[in-house]
Amino acid sequence: MVCPERGCYHHAGISGLTASVAYVQTLFNPFLHDDIPAIIKNPDVQGKTTFIEIFRNDFWGNSILSSTSHKSYRPLTIAVFRLLHRCFGNWPVPYHATNITLHALVTSLFTIFCQRSVFPHMANSSHVSLICGILFALHPIHTEAVCCVVGCAELLAAFLFMTTSLMCSNFLSHSKESKPINKEAVESQNVDKITLGVGLRRRTKNNLDCKIKEPKILETENDKPYLPNTCNIFIILLTSALAVLCKESGLSVLGVVIVHECVVQYESLQTKKTSRLIWIIRCFTYVTWVFIVLIFRLWVMGWSQPIFAEPDNPAAHCDDRLTR
């Protein structure tokens, strides 16, 4: 993936560093609230069960098929916690360091995404994207996810969310790229018209009346119909599925991908840079993948919904419909 501006990665680094500095004071925080049942009392994290049990239990170490389970299926997050516990035990610093690092990475990817997809045509797109990245890094809505160790689930899902979004935006940026013509080679030709086709004839003083065939200009990448790399589509499907295995909200990235195809790629359809059939196949693939992931998620839950107690989900037990 080629960055459209020279300072793209430089500004992404600045925003990522800002995110790290903003939360560095949380590095020595102890385990709090949900961290204790999710890590200290979780047999899957503590290594008291086999690794395969991670994919059979919920986020809290209980069987996901149990009637008392919250059905929070996040095996990749638990696998990260288990790896950290194996290396550092119950020392909270590495867990918090992981959260801070993930937040910095997500912020950097967000900055790149802004420059590449949100403000690609602005004159100062890199500076505007940097401001957006810093605001994203410092926004208080991220405080709970970064400060609490269990927020690693949100951060992992966000990292894969942004990775998927960047892969999707790469389709558009790739379709707009073109290979520049070598100007030195053109200037070296001592002719009136430079063409890349067949039938080029040089006009001189003695043959001014010679007919020159209509030049056949070689197509650049801008003129060719845009066919996205199949590998990119596969990565989008893979990263979106992994995001769901980190936290359930990771599924929303497929909605972003579908909106990107229906809205952003519409311009390519109008200019015939994208084959309509290929575009339909891509959209169908993404929609089908949404249903596949949803069916898998329901199958893992045993085709049953979680039952929350009122302290766990007060809004669901509220009498007011608007609140629910």
Side-chain angles (χ1 to χ4, degrees):
M1 295 184 289
V2 181
C3 191
E5 295 287 343
R6 180 181 298 180
C8 182
Y9 295 114
H10 176 67
H11 291 153
I14 293 176
S15 60
L17 181 61
T18 303
S20 300
V21 172
Y23 289 96
V24 70
Q25 71 272 17
T26 67
L27 195 60
F28 298 99
N29 287 357
F31 293 119
L32 297 172
H33 305 300
D34 288 342
D35 298 343
I36 296 174
I39 296 173
I40 303 299
K41 297 181 180 180
N42 192 333
D44 291 335
V45 175
Q46 298 295 316
K48 297 179 181 179
T49 59
T50 59
F51 184 79
I52 197 66
E53 291 297 319
I54 293 176
F55 299 91
R56 296 174 180 171
N57 297 336
D58 62 12
F59 187 64
W60 313 100
N62 304 316
S63 174
I64 198 167
L65 299 178
S66 172
S67 59
T68 59
S69 173
H70 288 180
K71 310 296 183 182
S72 302
Y73 187 69
R74 306 165 190 173
L76 292 187
T77 304
I78 295 298
V80 172
F81 288 159
R82 184 170 179 134
L83 177 62
L84 290 172
H85 178 269
R86 186 177 182 85
C87 296
F88 305 102
N90 290 327
W91 186 32
V93 172
Y95 295 84
H96 288 294
T98 301
N99 279 19
I100 295 172
T101 303
L102 285 172
H103 180 54
L105 289 174
V106 172
T107 302
S108 298
L109 293 177
F110 176 78
T111 305
I112 297 174
F113 179 79
C114 284
Q115 183 169 344
R116 187 179 281 176
S117 298
V118 182
F119 310 110
H121 304 298
M122 292 185 63
N124 297 323
S125 61
S126 59
H127 296 88
V128 175
S129 301
L130 175 61
I131 294 173
C132 292
I134 293 176
L135 290 175
F136 181 88
L138 302 178
H139 200 288
I141 199 173
H142 305 304
T143 302
E144 183 179 358
V146 182
C147 294
C148 298
V149 174
V150 291
C152 183
E154 285 91 342
L155 295 169
L156 285 171
F159 174 76
L160 292 168
F161 186 107
M162 293 309 306
T163 302
T164 306
S165 300
L166 280 172
M167 290 300 301
C168 190
S169 67
N170 184 50
F171 287 168
L172 186 61
S173 61
H174 182 276
S175 65
K176 292 182 178 180
E177 291 175 0
S178 60
K179 295 181 180 179
I181 299 176
N182 191 339
K183 293 183 179 180
E184 295 180 358
V186 172
E187 292 176 356
S188 64
Q189 300 293 333
N190 196 10
V191 293
D192 292 336
K193 290 186 178 181
I194 304 299
T195 61
L196 300 176
V198 185
L200 175 65
R201 300 186 63 179
R202 183 176 301 180
R203 263 196 279 185
T204 62
K205 294 181 180 179
N206 298 328
N207 59 353
L208 291 175
D209 297 331
C210 292
K211 295 182 179 180
I212 300 178
K213 293 183 179 180
E214 189 69 22
K216 181 180 180 181
I217 305 298
L218 183 65
E219 288 181 324
T220 64
E221 289 186 13
N222 277 339
D223 302 320
K224 294 179 181 180
Y226 174 56
L227 300 179
N229 193 339
T230 305
C231 182
N232 286 355
I233 298 178
F234 175 77
I235 293 176
I236 287 175
L237 299 180
L238 176 62
T239 52
S240 61
L242 293 177
V244 176
L245 295 179
C246 293
K247 191 171 183 180
E248 299 78 2
S249 56
L251 184 64
S252 60
V253 69
L254 289 173
V256 175
V257 172
I258 294 172
V259 169
H260 178 276
E261 289 291 339
C262 295
V263 178
V264 181
Q265 288 294 342
Y266 180 76
E267 179 183 353
S268 297
L269 285 174
Q270 295 298 102
T271 57
K272 297 183 179 179
K273 292 177 184 176
T274 300
S275 169
R276 189 173 297 274
L277 178 60
I278 295 297
W279 178 77
I280 293 174
I281 292 175
R282 286 208 310 269
C283 291
F284 178 77
T285 301
Y286 295 140
V287 173
T288 303
W289 190 245
V290 171
F291 284 101
I292 291 175
V293 173
L294 285 175
I295 291 173
F296 171 78
R297 187 68 175 80
L298 292 172
W299 173 74
V300 167
M301 294 168 55
W303 308 99
S304 60
Q305 294 182 352
I307 301 175
F308 291 104
E310 186 172 354
D312 296 328
N313 193 356
H317 293 79
C318 184
D319 295 332
D320 186 8
R321 287 187 178 182
L322 183 61
T323 302
R324 292 201 303 271

